[in-house]
Amino acid sequence: MRAGALALFWLGAGACLERNAHSRFLSSPLIASSEIAARLERRLPVPVRGWIADDPARLRDRIIFPLRVEQAWWGGRWRGAPGTIRVALRLPGAGSPSALGFGDRVELPLRLRPVRNFRNPGSFDYERYLEGEGIHRLGTLKSLRLVERLPGSGGRWVSPIHRLRARLLRRLGQAFPDEGHEESRLFLEAILLGQRRGSEGEFESLFRQTGVYHILSISGLHFALLMGGLGWAIRRLPGGRCISPAVLVGAGALYVALSGGEDPILRSSLAILFASWGKRCGRRVGAVDAQSHAGIVLLALHPLHLFDPGFQLSFVATLGVLAGGRFAPPWRERISRIRAAVAASTAAWIASAPIVAAAFFQVSPIALALNLAAAPFLSGSLFLGAGLLVLPRQVLAAPCEMLLDTFSALCRMSLAIPGAFRRVPAPSPLLLILFAGSAIAALLPAGAAGRIRDRPAAFVAALLLAAMLFPPGPAIAHRPLECVALDVGQGDALLVRLPQGKDILVDAGGFTGTDFDVGDKIVVPALLTLGVRSLDLLILTHAHQDHGGGIPAVIAAFSPREIWIGRRPPHSRLLDRIADDAAARRIPVLFPTRGTLKCLGESCLEVLHPPRGFRPDAEVSNEDSLVVRLFNPEASLLLTGDIEREGESLLLASPPPLASDLLKVAHHGSNSSTSEDFLNAVRPSAAVISAGEGNLWDHPSPEVVARLRRHGIRLFRTDRDGAILFTFEAGAWKASRTGE
């Protein structure tokens, strides 16, 4: 109880420290300087000097590293500008060496941009996350030739650690040299040295869905397994029992430094330190007390981590494992190891499931079983991977790869079980607080025998957990016609909600040149937060990545009843993947043309473009866009995709009416669309442009914006307003921001 009270006290203290740290963070000239802000607005480079504060990570044709800034050029001279910039530096080719490493002092003319959230309901707070990492700005550099080396170096006292880490990473790279074995190399880099690629790969996505993603984050389990194996080996050497404690302490400190000192391993090592120190001083420090003391230290070091899901899960899962022992009362001596493991795994899953649901919009009941297999898999992977660092790689590389393939296959088979993985909306803060309170009331009052005395509290906690995992659907009675333009950066994603409870999604955003899944990370959480549980129709206007990149994730999450796609070009990997995903779920895929009409209750969708036989052999183009007019007896809206001049000309020449109250402006507001004649034909009262803030194409075009204003059209933009909710009430469309 003392530890629980102490932890609650430090949560409050951590919140106060967080506010103070936030104020100091905003005072950095990188954020506070008006001149630097003006250069950002005008997209002018800002010369900066500093040193590379971590080993550069390679991601496709670029490297990414944090630059600890010493000076920046503003106010006509070099000035002190303490802060950190995450730099993305493009390399000449995918295999080109960067010749940059930890500690190098450099001068760079960076194009800076602010850290920005996607302003949607349920959006991940990326600004807070990077602030917790100490990142003030994001910067890009087009060429390595623009980097000027400066004398001296930074971080000298930890340079040997980084040199050793780089040598170990090179050895793993030599063990898996080609692309066919890249997943194995990345997996070992993650579990051995804490090296993450910066984007989610195949096995990472698989482990996340099955609820065993924690094995990729170096934690107490990794630490205990490696130190236990090392201790076992040392004790079998002559005189090993005498030198074992000193060697383990030194090796443990070195491993914490090599792995990057993330919160999970720091928590584990600090808890072990507190327990050992208490024993040495003749005082028994319980496991919960040791974890609470470790939390105090970590919050003092990094107060901004207080609301980080990784920090929370690290402690909550561990406390769940410790509480799992309370489920085995007096006959604990006779309990089998399997039952003890099941109890610990179940308690950890119960404790962490609400945080996983709140942060990642998912629950994975299959993790209850897979976590039992994850421990031996991780043990084998760690020992084989550690052996790779010192033994001939030909001996151990194949077994490592076989072990990863076997466990990955087990995860894939598990996902085929109904209910193994579910997408859920984030629980409300009130629900989370009630669950935490009832769970603490159920577990902490247990007596020395370990019995849970407060059965009503346990029952309430179980009911609240069930409410989080199986949330009721939203009420749809008397729902007005709604259209939500989601903020997906430089792309399109619009949700149309009909009064009859039908939901239609038009496009799902997407980025090129990155593995970031807009559908999984942005669109699906936003739809769940808005109350969407299923989709009656999914429309992909045309096969460009900025409109369809998120479609596969939407299909996986909602299994729409029907999919519409614009003209099918002869070669499209995106459409091939969508077709495969739809076929696996028996979802019909249609390519409707002008004249197609579909009614859902009183609301109807009419396809206005493309006409039948339009450009049959041409490659994918903006002109392929499926143009749909949705109307009911009171309201109408026109969804135009990315059509340009040719498409607008065909629409103006065709018989169907274009007049609509609400217009989704074509092609992100480019001047290649939205002509005077087109606006005269549509005559909207309101319009929305979906574009990315500070995009490279300067969308929307100032000419289009001026044209819309001349017509007296109320204009809304996702690059400035975030997600926008349009509701048809009292005979007019009313707009409001919904992503704040």
Side-chain angles (χ1 to χ4, degrees):
M1 287 297 292
R2 292 196 316 273
L6 195 60
L8 290 174
F9 168 78
W10 274 97
L11 282 175
C16 296
L17 288 171
E18 191 268 347
R19 293 182 64 85
N20 183 48
H22 178 67
S23 299
R24 293 200 313 271
F25 181 86
L26 295 180
S27 67
S28 168
L30 292 176
I31 295 177
S33 168
S34 58
E35 183 168 333
I36 291 180
R39 294 183 75 89
L40 263 68
E41 186 73 22
R42 295 158 56 194
R43 300 182 190 173
L44 296 175
V46 178
V48 297
R49 290 173 177 170
W51 56 279
I52 298 175
D54 201 354
D55 300 306
R58 183 178 294 275
L59 181 63
R60 292 190 175 182
D61 61 343
R62 66 193 68 187
I63 59 170
I64 299 172
F65 57 86
L67 181 72
R68 194 69 53 81
V69 178
E70 298 168 339
Q71 294 178 312
W73 181 269
W74 55 289
R77 61 186 178 88
W78 289 104
R79 297 172 180 262
T84 303
I85 299 173
R86 176 175 288 178
V87 178
L89 169 60
R90 189 176 296 276
L91 298 176
S96 305
S98 68
L100 293 176
F102 172 83
D104 291 345
R105 291 189 69 247
V106 292
E107 180 180 323
L108 311 171
L110 294 177
R111 292 189 181 274
L112 300 180
R113 57 188 176 91
V115 180
R116 176 186 178 274
N117 287 336
F118 290 95
R119 291 163 291 177
N120 297 303
S123 178
F124 174 66
D125 195 343
Y126 189 55
E127 293 178 9
R128 179 187 288 274
Y129 169 75
L130 285 188
E131 184 177 341
E133 298 298 311
I135 306 297
H136 294 79
R137 295 287 190 189
L138 304 177
T140 57
L141 192 66
K142 291 184 177 180
S143 173
L144 188 63
R145 293 192 298 270
L146 299 175
V147 178
E148 181 180 344
R149 298 294 189 101
L150 299 176
S153 63
R156 294 180 182 177
W157 66 282
V158 292
S159 290
I161 298 294
H162 283 268
R163 285 197 296 269
L164 176 59
R165 191 167 187 260
R167 187 175 298 127
L168 296 176
L169 288 172
R170 283 197 300 270
R171 184 163 180 83
L172 288 177
Q174 293 166 359
F176 303 98
D178 52 39
E179 291 185 4
H181 306 287
E182 184 183 30
E183 291 293 309
S184 299
R185 173 178 62 82
L186 293 171
F187 171 71
L188 290 177
E189 288 178 354
I191 67 168
L192 286 171
L193 299 169
Q195 178 81 356
R196 306 299 286 274
R197 72 172 103 195
S199 63
E200 189 171 83
E202 179 182 355
F203 72 86
E204 291 172 304
S205 175
L206 185 63
F207 291 173
R208 177 178 55 80
Q209 292 183 26
T210 50
V212 295
Y213 192 78
H214 58 87
I215 66 177
L216 298 176
S217 176
I218 295 180
S219 64
L221 180 59
H222 298 66
F223 189 75
L225 288 171
L226 286 175
M227 292 302 104
L230 180 62
W232 178 87
I234 292 174
R235 284 191 295 272
R236 274 145 185 80
L237 297 175
R241 292 188 178 275
C242 296
I243 64 172
S244 176
V247 172
L248 288 178
V249 169
L254 177 62
Y255 184 62
V256 169
L258 280 174
S259 61
E262 297 294 328
D263 284 342
I265 192 170
L266 282 177
R267 172 193 55 75
S268 304
S269 55
L270 286 171
I272 293 171
L273 180 63
F274 282 123
S276 302
W277 186 261
K279 184 177 181 180
R280 185 177 182 86
C281 296
R283 298 188 62 181
R284 182 181 179 276
V285 179
V288 175
D289 290 325
Q291 296 293 328
S292 299
H293 298 332
I296 292 169
V297 175
L298 289 180
L299 281 176
L301 292 174
H302 303 292
L304 292 171
H305 287 192
L306 178 63
F307 301 107
D308 177 62
F311 178 88
Q312 296 167 357
L313 286 171
S314 176
F315 282 90
V316 167
T318 302
L319 294 175
V321 170
L322 296 175
R326 300 180 186 272
F327 298 145
W331 40 275
R332 186 175 180 180
E333 295 78 9
R334 301 193 300 272
I335 195 171
S336 68
R337 291 186 178 182
I338 294 179
R339 288 185 178 179
V342 169
S345 176
T346 302
W349 184 84
I350 291 173
S352 58
I355 296 178
V356 173
F360 307 111
F361 296 84
Q362 69 176 58
V363 290
S364 304
I366 195 62
L368 288 166
L370 280 179
N371 275 322
L372 300 177
F377 160 69
L378 180 61
S379 302
S381 300
L382 282 171
F383 294 140
L384 288 172
L388 266 176
L389 300 177
V390 294
L391 298 175
R393 56 181 178 272
Q394 295 82 1
V395 178
L396 298 177
C400 278
E401 200 157 30
M402 186 181 303
L403 196 59
L404 176 60
D405 290 342
T406 302
F407 188 70
S408 298
L410 178 62
C411 290
R412 289 190 187 91
M413 289 189 294
S414 300
L415 284 177
I417 301 173
F421 168 76
R422 298 185 66 251
R423 284 289 199 173
V424 296
S428 68
L430 177 60
L431 200 61
L432 290 172
I433 292 171
L434 291 175
F435 172 80
S438 56
I440 291 172
L443 294 175
L444 290 186
R451 290 184 176 88
I452 296 179
R453 294 177 179 173
D454 199 338
R455 296 183 183 276
F459 179 71
V460 171
L463 287 180
L464 293 171
L465 182 63
M468 288 185 250
L469 304 187
F470 302 97
I476 60 175
H478 308 295
R479 186 175 75 181
L481 176 63
E482 295 177 343
C483 176
V484 185
L486 297 177
D487 176 14
V488 292
Q490 188 66 11
D492 269 18
L494 293 99
L495 173 68
V496 180
R497 316 203 70 186
L498 305 182
Q500 297 78 22
K502 307 294 185 181
D503 291 323
I504 302 169
L505 182 67
V506 182
D507 293 329
F511 295 149
T512 57
T514 176
D515 294 330
F516 183 82
D517 191 335
V518 171
D520 184 66
K521 300 296 193 300
I522 299 175
V523 177
V524 170
L527 297 185
L528 289 168
T529 304
L530 288 168
V532 176
R533 299 293 179 268
S534 64
L535 287 173
D536 297 274
L537 179 61
L538 174 60
I539 298 176
L540 172 59
T541 56
H542 62 297
H544 275 163
Q545 184 71 13
D546 62 330
H547 289 248
I551 293 288
V554 172
I555 293 175
F558 296 103
S559 292
R561 291 185 175 86
E562 191 171 286
I563 299 176
W564 285 8
I565 302 177
R567 186 190 70 87
R568 179 161 195 167
H571 309 291
S572 173
R573 293 172 58 185
L574 174 61
L575 291 191
D576 291 342
R577 181 182 176 188
I578 291 173
D580 292 341
D581 291 348
R585 292 168 174 79
R586 299 182 180 179
I587 302 171
V589 178
L590 306 177
F591 295 87
T593 55
R594 181 193 298 165
T596 300
L597 185 68
K598 180 182 182 68
C599 291
L600 299 169
E602 294 184 351
S603 301
C604 296
L605 293 92
E606 182 180 11
V607 176
L608 307 182
H609 183 81
R612 186 182 298 273
F614 179 72
R615 307 176 65 195
D617 300 321
E619 293 297 322
V620 63
S621 163
N622 288 333
E623 301 290 12
D624 300 341
S625 294
L626 200 64
V627 178
V628 177
R629 182 174 179 264
L630 186 143
F631 60 93
N632 63 23
E634 296 181 332
S636 58
L637 62 99
L638 185 63
L639 307 171
T640 56
D642 274 357
I643 59 163
E644 299 185 81
R645 292 185 179 89
E646 181 183 357
E648 286 191 355
S649 298
L650 289 172
L651 286 173
L652 292 171
S654 61
L658 295 175
S660 302
D661 308 318
L662 177 62
L663 170 67
K664 201 291 294 186
V665 177
H667 198 202
H668 320 292
S670 166
N671 200 27
S672 61
S673 312
T674 321
S675 64
E676 290 280 359
D677 291 340
F678 186 74
L679 289 177
N680 287 330
V682 179
R683 301 190 305 278
S685 59
V688 59
I689 295 175
S690 181
E693 184 178 15
N695 64 83
L696 298 176
W697 299 271
D698 292 324
H699 292 160
S701 163
E703 291 85 352
V704 170
V705 172
R707 200 175 299 149
L708 291 165
R709 287 174 177 166
R710 283 199 306 271
H711 282 257
I713 300 169
R714 293 181 297 140
L715 177 61
F716 302 89
R717 298 165 47 171
T718 60
D719 59 332
R720 294 184 178 178
D721 304 320
I724 307 160
L725 169 64
F726 295 91
T727 306
F728 191 83
E729 292 178 330
W733 287 100
K734 298 179 181 179
S736 61
R737 297 181 182 180
T738 186
E740 297 297 332

